[in-house]
C-alpha cells in the first residue's frame, strides 16, 4: 500500500511549464553577443575563490558585500551585517539552515519538514506562517527549499533588521543572501565526495572556465543521500530517508567592455520521508499549568509512512550595462517553478485513520530594473522599479480509514478535499542615496509598494456537496523608508544610527469555511551601532536596537457558528529590544578566536488573544480572551551566544592544516503567545579539522558532539485541539568526512 500511495503523490506534475519558462529566458540571453573572459572576470561582482592550493596565507582584511545592492566594504555600511565566507562554509560543513542559526546571534532558524526555513530574526518573523526573513540568491528571492548548494556559494550575507526599502515585502526581520560564484577566467574544476554516519553518501562536481573567447561557463551537479534518524516503532524501520539531486548552470558573457550578461539556471529534485515527521508526546496528558517541552523522542508510531516529493526549477537573466556618463543599468528577469507532493499520517497513530495528501505548486515571475551611480563620489545613488506575480495552487485532501490495522479499509465517506488558487502581485518603485561630507555619511531611502491578492477556493467535505468561495480580492499600499547617519571616528572605526521599516504584505486565507483577510505585519527598527578595527587585526562590532512590531500573526481562537475554531489572525503588537556584539581576535599567527552574543526581549503590547488553556479550564463552551500585555512573544530565545576557535598552519608547497572548535548557547524561548509551553536553554558543540594538500582538500566534521536534544517546534495539545502534544526534534550527532580534488 505504501508504494502505491507514494506513486499517487507524484501524479499531476506539469513539467512543461518550467521547460518553456527556462527556454524563453535562455533564448533572450543568447540574443546578446560576447566578449573576453579575462575582462569579464575582472568586472564580476562575485569572483570564485581559487582552489585550496592557491589560497594565500594572508587573507585580505576588507570584506566586500552587496547588502545595499552595490559593492561596499562591510565596515562602511551603517547596519548590522554579517558575512560568512566560503572558507568558513567548508570548514564548518555548513550544509543545512540549522548550521547558519548556530553562527549568527539573534537568528532563530530551523528547517521545516520540506527542507525550507522557519526563521525569526531579532524576534521578528512568523515562525512557519509567513517567511518574515527573506532568502535571496544574489538579488532574486527564494520561496522554498535550498536551491543554492555550498559548492556554489562565495559567501553568505546576513542583513539584520527590516530590509523593506531595497528588498520589499516579506523582509520585516531581515534578509539572508547567498552570493554565488561566477565562471572563472581559467579552467578550475573540482570533484567532492563525502561519507558520514546514517549512511550519508554525497557527491558533487563543478567545472568552471571559458568555453569561447567571449563566453564563460560554470556547471555544478550534486547527489546527496541521507538515511533517516527517526525510528517508526510500528513498522520497525527508520523514516526520514532523503535523496537530493540537482545542479546549477551559469553562463557569463561580455559583448562589450561596458556590458555583462549573466544567465543562471537551477534545478532540484528532492525525495524524502520528512513530511510531518513530528513525534506524539503520549507521556503527558494535556496539562493545566505552564510547562517545559522537555520530552524528546527520535521515534514516531505512524501507521502511514510519509512521503515528500519536490521539484524546483528557476532561471535568472541579469544584464548590467555601464553608460558613458558612469551610470549603470541593471536588469534582472527571474522565474521560479516548484512542484510539491506530500503524504503523511495526519493522526500520528499506529492505526489507519486519516491519510493526508498535501500538494502545493508555485509559479513566480519577476522583473527588476535599476539605475545607479557607478563610481564612488560624494553621492552614491540608485533608483529602480520592481514587478512580480506569484501564483500558488494548493490541494489538501484526506483519505479516511476504518482504524483496523489488520484489514484497513476506506471509511464512508472516505474522501474530502480543499483546493485553493491564489495570485499575488507586487508593484514597487524605490530609491536610495548616500551623501558623503568629510567624515559624515548620510543615507535616505524610500520604497512605495502596491500589492494585491486574489483567492478562489472549492472544497468537498466528502458528501459530494462542493462549496465554492471567491474569487475575492485584496489590495494594499505600503511605504518603507530608511534613513541613516554615520560618522568615521578614525580609519576603520564608524559609529552609526539607522531607522528602517519593513512589512509583510496583507493576504487572504481560506479557513473554517470562509475567506479571512490578514492585515500586513509591519516592523520599524531603530538601531545604534559601532564598527571598529583594533590593533593586531582584531575587530569589534556592536549594536543596540529597538523594534516596533505590529499586527503579529499567529493561530488563535475565534468564535464561529456552533463554537470556536483555530484560525490564523493578527494578534497585536510587540516591542523588541536587544544588544549584539561580534568580535574577531587573532591570538597568535595561527590561532583566531571569534564569536558573538545577542539578546532579544520581545514583549507583547496590548494584544487580545483567545487563550486555549483558559478556554479549556472554563469548560470549552465559549472562548476566553486575555490581554497578553507584558508576556514574552514566541519563537524568540532570550539570548544566543556563539564562539569559535580556529587554528591554521601553513606548511609550504601548498600544504595547510587546521582545526576548528565551535559552540553555541541558546536561551529560553516560548512556543505560544501566552507563555504556556517553553523550550529550555541548551548548548551545542562542534569540532572539525581540515587538510589542504596540493590539489586535495580534506575536511572532517562532527556536529552536536554531545548529542544535545531540543525541539525545533512544539505544539501544546490544547492549542491544536488534539488529545496529545506534538513536537519536532533536532538532528542528532552527525559525523562527516569529505575530500575534494581540484583539477
Amino acid at each position: 500500500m505504501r508504494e502505491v500511495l507514494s506513486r499517487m503523490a507524484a501524479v499531476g506534475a506539469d513539467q512543461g511549464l518550467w521547460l518553456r519558462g527556462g527556454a524563453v529566458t535562455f533564448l533572450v540571453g543568447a540574443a546578446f553577443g560576447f566578449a573576453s573572459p579575462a575582462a569579464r572576470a575582472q568586472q564580476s561582482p562575485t569572483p570564485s575563490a581559487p582552489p585550496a592550493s592557491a589560497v594565500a596565507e594572508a587573507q585580505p582584511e576588507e570584506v566586500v558585500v552587496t547588502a545595499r545592492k552595490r559593492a561596499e566594504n562591510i565596515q562602511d555600511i551603517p547596519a548590522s551585517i554579517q558575512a560568512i565566507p566560503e572558507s568558513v562554509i567548508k570548514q564548518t560543513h555548513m550544509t543545512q539552515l540549522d548550521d547558519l542559526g548556530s553562527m549568527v546571534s539573534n537568528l532563530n532558524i530551523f528547517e521545516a519538514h520540506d527542507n525550507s526555513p522557519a526563521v525569526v530574526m531579532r524576534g521578528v518573523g512568523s515562525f512557519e506562517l509567513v517567511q518574515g526573513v527573506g532568502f535571496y540568491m544574489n538579488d532574486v528571492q527564494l520561496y522554498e527549499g535550498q536551491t543554492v548548494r555550498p559548492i556554489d556559494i562565495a559567501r553568505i550575507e546576513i542583513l539584520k533588521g527590516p530590509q523593506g526599502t531595497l528588498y520589499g515585502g516579506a523582509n520585516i526581520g531581515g534578509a539572508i543572501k547567498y552570493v554565488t560564484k561566477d565562471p572563472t577566467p581559467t579552467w578550475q574544476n573540482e570533484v567532492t565526495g563525502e561519507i558520514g554516519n546514517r549512511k550519508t553518501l554525497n557527491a558533487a562536481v563543478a567545472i568552471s572556465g571559458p568555453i569561447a573567447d567571449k563566453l564563460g561557463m560554470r556547471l555544478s551537479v550534486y547527489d546527496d543521500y541521507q538515511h533517516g534518524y527517526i525510528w517508526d516503532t510500528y513498522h520497525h524501520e527508520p523514516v526520514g530517508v532523503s535523496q537530493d539531486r540537482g545542479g546549477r548552470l551559469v553562463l557569463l558573457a561580455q559583448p562589450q567592455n561596458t556590458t555583462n550578461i549573466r544567465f543562471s539556471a537551477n534545478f532540484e529534485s528532492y525525495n524524502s520521508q520528512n513530511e510531518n515527521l513530528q513525534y506524539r508526546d503520549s507521556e503527558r496528558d494535556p496539562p493545566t499549568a505552564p510547562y517545559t517541552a522537555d520530552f524528546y523522542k527520535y521515534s514516531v508510531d505512524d501507521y502511514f509512512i510519509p512521503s515528500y516529493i519536490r521539484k524546483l526549477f528557476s532561471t535568472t537573466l541579469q544584464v548590467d550595462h555601464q553608460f558613458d556618463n558612469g551610470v549603470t543599468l541593471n536588469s534582472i528577469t527571474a522565474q521560479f517553478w516548484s512542484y510539491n507532493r506530500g503524504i503523511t499520517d495526519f493522526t500520528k497513530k499506529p492505526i489507519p485513520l486519516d491519510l493526508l495528501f498535501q500538494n502545493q505548486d508555485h509559479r513566480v515571475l519577476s522583473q527588476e530594473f535599476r539605475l545607479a551611480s557607478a563610481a564612488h563620489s560624494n553621492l552614491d545613488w540608485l533608483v529602480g522599479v520592481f514587478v512580480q506575480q506569484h501564483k500558488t495552487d494548493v490541494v489538501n485532501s484526506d483519505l479516511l480509514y476504518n482504524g483496523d490495522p489488520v484489514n484497513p479499509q476506506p471509511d464512508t465517506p472516505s474522501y474530502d478535499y480543499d483546493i485553493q488558487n491564489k495570485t499575488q502581485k507586487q508593484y514597487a518603485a524605490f530609491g536610495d542615496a548616500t551623501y558623503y561630507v568629510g567624515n559624515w555619511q548620510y543615507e535616505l531611502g524610500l520604497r512605495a509598494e502596491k500589492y494585491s491578492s486574489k483567492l478562489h477556493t472549492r472544497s468537498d467535505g466528502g458528501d459530494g456537496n462542493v462549496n465554492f468561495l471567491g474569487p475575492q480580492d485584496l489590495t494594499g499600499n505600503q511605504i518603507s523608508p530608511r534613513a541613516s547617519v554615520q560618522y568615521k571616528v578614525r580609519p576603520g572605526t564608524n559609529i552609526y544610527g539607522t531607522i528602517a521599516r519593513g512589512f509583510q504584505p496583507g493576504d487572504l486565507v481560506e479557513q473554517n469555511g470562509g475567506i479571512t483577510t490578514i492585515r500586513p505585519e509591519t516592523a520599524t527598527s531603530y538601531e545604534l551601532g559601532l564598527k571598529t578595527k583594533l590593533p593586531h587585526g582584531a575587530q569589534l562590532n556592536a549594536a543596540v536596537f529597538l523594534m516596533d512590531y505590529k499586527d503579529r500573526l499567529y493561530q488563535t481562537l475565534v468564535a464561529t457558528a456552533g463554537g470556536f475554531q483555530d484560525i490564523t489572525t493578527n494578534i497585536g503588537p510587540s516591542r523588541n529590544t536587544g544588544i549584539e556584539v561580534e568580535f574577531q581576535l587573532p591570538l597568535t599567527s595561527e590561532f583566531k578566536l571569534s564569536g558573538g552574543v545577542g539578546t532579544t526581549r520581545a514583549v507583547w503590547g496590548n494584544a487580545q488573544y483567545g487563550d486555549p488553556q483558559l478556554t479549556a479550564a472554563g469548560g470549552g463552551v465559549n472562548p476566553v480572551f486575555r490581554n497578553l500585555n507584558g508576556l514574552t512573544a514566541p519563537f524568540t530565545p532570550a539570548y544566543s551566544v556563539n564562539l569559535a576557535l580556529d587554528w591554521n598552519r601553513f606548511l609550504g608547497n601548498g600544504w595547510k592544516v587546521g582545526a576548528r572548535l565551535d559552540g553555541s548557547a541558546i536561551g529560553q524561548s516560548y512556543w505560544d503567545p501566552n507563555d504556556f509551553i517553553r523550550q529550555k536553554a541548551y548548548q551545542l558543540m562542534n569540532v572539525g579539522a581540515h587538510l589542504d594538500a596540493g590539489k586535495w582538500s580534506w575536511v572532517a566534521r562532527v556536529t552536536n558532539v554531545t548529542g544535545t536534544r531540543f525541539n525545533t517546534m512544539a505544539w501544546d495539545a490544547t492549542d491544536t485541539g488534539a488529545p496529545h502534544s506534538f513536537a519536532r526534534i533536532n538532528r542528532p550527532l552527525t559525523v562527516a568526512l569529505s575530500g575534494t580534488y581540484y583539477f
Side-chain angles (χ1 to χ4, degrees), residues 196-402:
N197 62 336
R198 302 198 307 273
K199 301 181 181 180
T200 296
L201 186 61
N202 304 331
V205 178
I207 57 176
S208 177
I211 57 177
D213 183 51
K214 300 179 180 181
L215 179 65
M217 180 270 290
R218 177 181 173 85
L219 174 66
S220 62
V221 294
Y222 64 90
D223 188 324
D224 293 350
Y225 174 85
Q226 284 191 340
H227 211 53
Y229 56 84
I230 302 296
W231 184 258
D232 190 304
T233 59
Y234 179 81
H235 294 283
H236 304 289
E237 62 182 69
V239 291
V241 176
S242 66
Q243 182 88 46
D244 195 2
R245 295 170 175 168
R248 173 176 170 81
L249 171 68
V250 181
L251 298 175
L252 183 58
Q254 190 178 37
Q256 52 188 354
N257 291 335
T258 57
T259 304
N260 285 333
I261 301 169
R262 182 181 294 102
F263 170 79
S264 63
N266 297 267
F267 173 73
E268 179 191 40
S269 178
Y270 182 66
N271 195 330
S272 80
Q273 298 175 331
N274 289 328
E275 181 77 351
N276 202 32
L277 264 187
Q278 59 244 16
Y279 66 87
R280 183 164 49 95
D281 187 352
S282 56
E283 302 297 322
R284 189 197 314 272
D285 293 327
T288 58
Y291 67 97
T292 301
D294 56 357
F295 183 82
Y296 310 110
K297 291 196 302 184
Y298 282 107
S299 64
V300 296
D301 53 5
D302 299 0
Y303 178 84
F304 297 111
I305 297 294
S307 169
Y308 183 79
I309 298 172
R310 179 179 61 211
K311 298 184 185 299
L312 303 179
F313 183 76
S314 64
T315 57
T316 301
L317 175 66
Q318 181 170 342
V319 180
D320 305 321
H321 177 75
Q322 183 172 320
F323 296 101
D324 293 339
N325 60 0
V327 175
T328 299
L329 169 67
N330 306 106
S331 171
I332 303 175
T333 306
Q335 72 87 24
F336 175 88
W337 172 91
S338 72
Y339 160 92
N340 300 267
R341 298 294 180 267
I343 294 176
T344 186
D345 191 318
F346 186 65
T347 57
K348 310 296 293 178
K349 291 184 177 181
I351 55 176
L353 289 175
D354 191 333
L355 181 63
L356 177 63
F357 295 82
Q358 297 174 300
N359 303 336
Q360 184 169 260
D361 299 334
H362 291 277
R363 310 284 188 272
V364 185
L365 297 173
S366 66
Q367 175 66 56
E368 180 173 323
F369 291 105
R370 295 198 306 264
L371 287 173
S373 58
H376 174 69
S377 60
N378 289 335
L379 180 66
D380 286 337
W381 58 268
L382 67 84
V383 294
V385 294
F386 175 81
V387 295
Q388 178 174 277
Q389 177 178 276
H390 183 183
K391 290 186 176 182
T392 308
D393 297 320
V394 177
V395 180
N396 293 322
S397 57
D398 291 88
L399 189 57
L400 307 178
Y401 281 81
N402 59 0

Side-chain angles (χ1 to χ4, degrees), residues 80 197 209 226 255 339 348 378 408 413 444 449 464 485 597 622:
S80 182
N197 62 336
Q226 284 191 340
Y339 160 92
K348 310 296 293 178
N378 289 335
L444 183 63
E449 187 161 327
V485 177
V597 57
N622 297 304

Side-chain angles (χ1 to χ4, degrees), residues 68-182:
R68 292 196 289 186
K69 297 193 174 182
R70 60 178 183 261
E72 299 177 278
N73 186 338
I74 191 172
Q75 291 296 104
D76 293 333
I77 300 177
S80 182
I81 301 170
Q82 287 183 243
I84 302 176
E86 178 189 10
S87 59
V88 174
I89 295 172
K90 288 183 177 180
Q91 293 171 16
T92 59
H93 191 253
M94 187 182 297
T95 58
Q96 301 191 61
L97 293 169
D98 303 37
D99 304 319
L100 185 61
S102 64
M103 298 178 62
V104 179
S105 59
N106 284 334
L107 176 62
N108 186 22
I109 179 173
F110 296 106
E111 288 181 12
H113 61 269
D114 59 354
N115 207 28
S116 293
V119 55
V120 172
M121 191 180 293
R122 290 181 170 179
V124 178
S126 297
F127 216 61
E128 294 195 0
L129 289 178
V130 294
Q131 196 159 6
V133 175
F135 285 77
Y136 287 81
M137 180 172 58
N138 302 317
D139 284 335
V140 177
Q141 188 165 2
L142 304 172
Y143 287 90
E144 58 180 301
Q146 290 182 261
T147 57
V148 187
R149 307 296 296 180
I151 196 172
D152 290 318
I153 297 177
R155 67 179 179 276
I156 302 175
E157 300 176 6
I158 297 93
L159 288 58
K160 297 182 179 180
Q163 303 296 321
T165 304
L166 291 178
Y167 293 91
N171 299 281
I172 53 175
I176 296 175
K177 191 172 180 178
Y178 301 110
V179 180
T180 59
K181 299 176 183 178
D182 271 342

Side-chain angles (χ1 to χ4, degrees), residues 80-82 105 160 539-542 580-584 595-596:
S80 182
I81 301 170
Q82 287 183 243
S105 59
K160 297 182 179 180
Q539 185 172 308
L540 176 68
N541 297 337
E580 293 169 354
V581 178
E582 302 155 8
F583 71 91
Q584 292 185 18

